[in-house]
Amino acid sequence: ELLPIKSMLLRMEIHIAVMFVTFRSVFLNDKGPGNRMLVVPMNDRATVMKGEIRIGTRLVETMVVPSQAAKNLVVKKKSKNVRDDDSWTQGFGRYFPTIFRMPIKRVLDGDEIMVEVTYFEPLLSIHGEYRCQVPVRIPSQMLLPDRKLQETLQISCHINVATENCRWGSASYPLVTVSQEGHRISLESDATQ
């Protein structure tokens, strides 16, 4: 089940041919008590540096596992003592290079879940240009009632290139230039759109 998003900050820092991305989101658990699964889509070239979940005073952090080791992870068979309601982890043992996942246990109804995931990835050079793609799609049913996407999602992008001849564009979310000095450009989401 999808939980409503109270807020999401997407921060990108691009340094020549490497991009660092931080997602910071606050979700509201309105689905009753239970276990949840955090799922963050990303490109298969990405390497997660940090994953953190806060629920009140509880903190859950990631453990970095090399890609090859992650491919070899196997979920043990259920013991007789495992309850049927643990089926929320079904498929967790399968490796998907484009999905970062973290299980969240014992979430109470009404809990706010703060999530922060940071990763980096090398950028692809296509026809002599570096291009970045950050997979972000927020279905309308995940927005709080009477909230628009631009009130929920904030995007900032800082570009540091080796040349003053830099062009940028956004295919899905409107961005505006906040500052541009030489080979540094700062962009933010356009709240007027």
Side-chain angles (χ1 to χ4, degrees):
E1 290 183 282
L2 299 174
L3 298 180
I5 297 177
K6 289 187 74 175
S7 65
M8 178 182 278
L9 171 66
L10 171 60
R11 179 181 170 88
M12 297 167 285
E13 293 185 23
I14 300 169
H15 299 279
I16 304 175
V18 178
M19 176 174 61
F20 296 85
V21 178
T22 298
F23 283 99
R24 185 177 300 134
S25 302
V26 178
F27 296 91
L28 176 64
N29 181 34
D30 65 351
K31 308 296 183 205
N35 298 319
R36 303 290 178 256
M37 181 72 71
L38 168 68
V39 177
V40 178
M42 56 187 57
N43 295 314
D44 61 355
R45 297 176 315 281
T47 300
V48 174
M49 298 167 22
K50 173 186 175 184
E52 182 177 288
I53 297 171
R54 289 186 184 275
I55 305 171
T57 58
R58 280 178 44 202
L59 173 66
V60 179
E61 294 181 284
T62 57
M63 177 177 70
V64 177
V65 178
S67 295
Q68 195 57 41
K71 291 176 185 178
N72 297 325
L73 286 177
V74 177
V75 173
K76 295 178 182 178
K77 292 183 179 182
K78 285 187 177 182
S79 71
K80 294 176 188 175
N81 299 331
V82 175
R83 296 186 319 244
D84 287 338
D85 67 351
D86 284 341
S87 62
W88 65 284
T89 59
Q90 186 174 5
F92 190 68
R94 294 183 56 207
Y95 173 70
F96 296 98
T98 58
I99 297 176
F100 173 74
R101 299 171 292 183
M102 277 181 74
I104 312 168
K105 287 190 159 197
R106 298 180 308 277
V107 179
L108 301 178
D109 192 36
D111 273 350
E112 286 189 5
I113 304 165
M114 193 286 293
V115 173
E116 185 171 311
V117 175
T118 301
Y119 67 87
F120 73 92
E121 68 176 82
L123 298 179
L124 294 177
S125 177
I126 301 171
H127 304 297
E129 297 178 346
Y130 289 109
R131 298 193 182 181
C132 63
Q133 230 180 357
V134 179
V136 176
R137 184 178 170 274
I138 302 175
S140 58
Q141 66 265 30
M142 289 183 70
L143 297 174
L144 291 173
D146 302 322
R147 290 285 305 263
K148 296 180 181 177
L149 178 63
Q150 55 270 39
E151 296 170 324
T152 303
L153 175 64
Q154 294 179 310
I155 300 172
S156 71
C157 180
H158 303 279
I159 304 170
N160 181 13
V161 293
T163 175
E164 293 185 20
N165 186 14
C166 176
R167 295 179 298 148
W168 65 270
S170 175
S172 53
Y173 296 100
L175 300 176
V176 294
T177 303
V178 175
S179 67
Q180 183 167 357
E181 297 177 24
H183 57 277
R184 297 175 192 268
I185 302 170
S186 292
L187 310 168
E188 287 183 358
S189 47
D190 186 353
T192 64
Q193 296 288 320

